[in-house]
Amino acid sequence: MRTSRQALWLLTLLTAWFAGMAQAAPAALQVGSKRFTESYLLGEIVTQTLNGQGIAAEHRQGLGNTAILAAALQRGQIDLYPEYTGTIVRELLKRESSADAQAPLAQINTWLKPLGLKAGVPLGFNNSYALALREADAARLGITSISELATKAPALKAGLSHEFLARADGWPALQRAYGLKLQPGAGLDHGLAYQALANGQVDLIDVYTTDAQLARQPVRVLRDDRGFFPRYDAVLLMRAAVDDRPLQGLAGRLPEAEMTRLNAAAELDGRPFADVAQGFLQSGSGGTGHQGLMDRLFAPDLLKLLAQHLALVLASLALAVAVAVPLGIAAHRLPRLAAPVMAVAGLLQTLPSLALLAFLIALVGRIGFVPALLALFVYALLPIVRNTHAGLQAVSGGLTHAALALGLTRGQTLRAIELPLALPTLMAGVKTAAVTNVGTATVAAFVGAGGLGERIVAGLAVNDSTLMLAGALPAAALAVIVQLLFDALERRGAHNGSQEYRGRGA
């Protein structure tokens, strides 16, 4: 029993330590990026440029889509991120006229001023949206433009990215502008789109005109003959208070051909984003060569990601213990509460993780650690509540009645007899919650909370299985280690218990 109590104390201490380690960071500029290759690279280039001038900056990779990044910017959770003028005008400012879409940067900044934002440092390239078909299909159907797509191929299977399906300058408006009859189907992550197209799983995808794959895949980019898409000149979108002078050296340094080459170095040659960015800044090269699994696995960011991951798991576990144990006690003491409590905990357990994260972001009004912590807390409730209740139910009623007959109060009986006897079962529930949350915590990277999921999300963005494994393997190993630690604590508790029993018998 003493070992189980020690385990709970250890959990509390570790939670405080890892949470402090993960969250206590110096005041640094927070550079965000979206979840695709080019944005990761630009975020790294900006971060390394600032660091190279002695300015503390941290890259928060792959935070999500435009809406999430813009909201984080306005709330001060990040300070700047790479964006595109067409996206700013259409998505953020909700200006849909073709004239507004071509507005100069000075006019865009006039519109952004009431939001407390500004755009600056034009990087030198235009990365527009486009639609693309396999070259063989385009040649067979005689399609060169989006207008011809509407008349000659109404039954193609589209595989469009989630953001393109939802954007104001994306599929819904494009469909209306061209009278397209195609059905968009389910959303497809941009990092997987070219592979799906090559494998014949889809026939039509949305692309960026600086995509690395365009130079190496047999695809035909369809001409936007009605001029629907605005210019998407790459700039840095930032809070108005940010001083962009240290970044002005990047202005005009990235023509389209150079950006495409850097994208290819990361996405097709498998080079780490940080190395590609460093190579560009230092010598104009694409960085070091392809890294194998072991290099990716033990990259310098491993300890930081592990600390973030453990902070999420342990903090959510401690919070769940603090809430679920009293709920389990209440369900034991008041039998009428048992069914509703278990039903609610079970229902929360079935919520899809991304849906729950989206709801919590809307609820708390921020991305990052807090919504991820709350999501993991929700998933940890059921096994702890259930096992607390089951452990207390298994305690002999005779022992409880005897304690009460000896003059102990209900509270004293609970603390001195019932909880110690139920503790092994309770700890089994804590173990289940801990091991489950180690795996579930990987989705925290989707909302900028860090952890080992960052590697998985980045690997998904560039369809890099090695990078995904570099995140998945440590997460799996961590789950096994947590399982083994709890098993060792249980064995030690059983051993101590048997020794104590023999000592009393003697």
Side-chain angles (χ1 to χ4, degrees):
M1 305 306 173
R2 208 165 38 241
T3 302
S4 295
R5 294 193 190 97
Q6 291 169 350
L8 287 173
W9 276 108
L10 180 62
L11 171 62
T12 304
L13 291 173
L14 285 174
T15 297
W17 187 77
F18 277 111
M21 183 177 176
Q23 297 301 306
L29 283 174
Q30 300 295 303
V31 181
S33 62
K34 299 183 187 180
R35 229 172 17 248
F36 61 93
T37 305
E38 187 166 287
S39 193
Y40 280 109
L41 283 172
L42 293 176
E44 275 296 328
I45 288 171
V46 168
T47 303
Q48 291 185 24
T49 298
L50 291 168
N51 290 337
Q53 298 182 56
I55 300 170
E58 179 183 356
H59 183 195
R60 299 184 65 182
Q61 299 183 16
L63 294 181
N65 59 18
T66 299
I68 291 176
L69 268 293
L73 193 63
Q74 290 180 274
R75 293 175 184 136
Q77 292 180 267
I78 59 173
D79 297 295
L80 70 162
Y81 76 96
E83 191 51 279
Y84 305 89
T85 53
T87 300
I88 294 172
V89 172
R90 291 275 175 88
E91 280 291 294
L92 272 62
L93 298 169
K94 306 300 181 184
R95 293 178 174 268
E96 298 190 8
S97 74
S98 56
D100 287 346
Q102 308 302 329
L105 200 56
Q107 180 59 62
I108 292 174
N109 277 324
T110 300
W111 293 331
L112 286 171
K113 189 174 181 180
L115 301 177
L117 305 177
K118 66 180 180 182
V121 194
L123 298 172
F125 68 93
N126 168 42
N127 184 10
S128 182
Y129 267 120
L131 296 182
L133 292 169
R134 282 184 295 274
E135 176 60 35
D137 290 343
R140 176 174 54 82
L141 296 169
I143 297 175
T144 60
S145 67
I146 301 178
S147 290
E148 291 173 341
L149 178 68
T151 58
K152 296 182 179 181
L156 292 178
K157 184 178 180 180
L160 307 176
S161 65
H162 299 91
E163 184 168 1
F164 187 70
L165 287 170
R167 289 171 62 112
D169 56 347
W171 177 255
L174 180 70
Q175 191 175 35
R176 290 193 299 270
Y178 279 95
L180 296 169
K181 304 300 182 184
L182 288 171
Q183 295 304 310
L188 180 65
D189 190 276
H190 187 72
L192 304 176
Y194 284 96
Q195 182 178 338
L197 186 69
N199 293 340
Q201 296 170 280
V202 297
D203 305 311
L204 175 76
I205 60 174
D206 61 288
V207 301
Y208 304 119
T209 53
T210 55
D211 275 350
Q213 299 272 11
L214 290 177
R216 306 193 189 184
Q217 292 275 4
V219 300
R220 179 178 297 183
V221 177
L222 302 183
R223 183 165 46 88
D224 179 17
D225 50 311
R226 296 186 184 176
F228 169 79
F229 292 115
R231 285 189 64 82
Y232 292 85
D233 293 307
V235 295
L236 300 181
L237 184 63
M238 64 196 82
R239 294 189 301 106
V242 173
D243 181 5
D244 63 2
R245 287 176 297 179
L247 295 166
Q248 288 298 333
L250 294 175
R253 279 194 63 184
L254 283 163
E256 286 188 27
E258 177 69 1
M259 192 68 247
T260 301
R261 187 181 66 81
L262 296 180
N263 287 336
E267 187 168 339
L268 303 182
D269 299 335
R271 298 172 182 172
F273 301 123
D275 284 3
V276 175
Q278 184 179 30
F280 164 73
L281 291 171
Q282 290 182 348
S283 63
S285 69
T288 60
H290 176 81
Q291 289 190 326
L293 177 59
M294 299 305 292
D295 294 323
R296 295 285 187 91
L297 193 60
F298 296 104
D301 65 347
L302 179 61
L303 289 179
K304 181 192 77 170
L305 297 179
L306 276 172
Q308 293 171 342
H309 205 93
L310 283 168
L312 281 168
V313 171
L314 294 174
S316 63
L317 196 60
L319 186 60
V321 168
V323 173
V325 171
L327 280 176
I329 293 171
H332 168 66
R333 287 286 179 85
L334 303 169
R336 284 181 296 179
L337 282 181
V341 166
M342 298 302 167
V344 171
L347 178 64
L348 291 174
Q349 185 84 5
T350 64
L351 294 175
S353 55
L354 291 180
L356 180 59
L357 284 170
F359 171 76
L360 290 171
I361 289 172
L363 181 66
V364 303
R366 61 188 295 117
I367 61 172
F369 186 83
V370 174
L373 170 69
L374 293 176
L376 293 174
F377 156 72
V378 166
Y379 289 131
L381 285 175
L382 178 61
I384 302 175
V385 170
R386 184 177 56 202
N387 280 41
T388 301
H389 179 260
L392 291 171
Q393 290 289 97
V395 175
S396 169
L399 288 174
T400 304
H401 293 146
L404 293 173
L406 290 172
L408 272 67
T409 65
R410 292 296 297 272
Q412 290 171 331
T413 302
L414 176 69
R415 290 189 297 272
I417 297 175
E418 292 178 297
L419 275 179
L421 291 174
L423 205 52
T425 305
L426 189 159
M427 288 302 296
V430 174
K431 176 177 71 173
T432 300
V435 173
T436 302
N437 272 11
V438 169
T440 308
T442 55
V443 303
F446 283 98
V447 295
L452 295 165
E454 277 198 8
R455 291 179 171 182
I456 298 172
V457 172
L460 182 65
V462 297
N463 196 21
D464 185 341
S465 58
T466 302
L467 185 53
M468 285 187 271
L469 281 173
L473 289 176
L478 190 59
V480 172
I481 290 169
V482 169
Q483 173 80 31
L484 293 175
L485 283 173
F486 273 96
D487 288 346
L489 287 170
E490 287 177 1
R491 286 194 299 270
R492 182 179 174 187
H495 176 70
N496 289 345
S498 63
Q499 283 189 327
E500 184 177 348
Y501 177 78
R502 286 196 298 270
R504 287 177 181 175

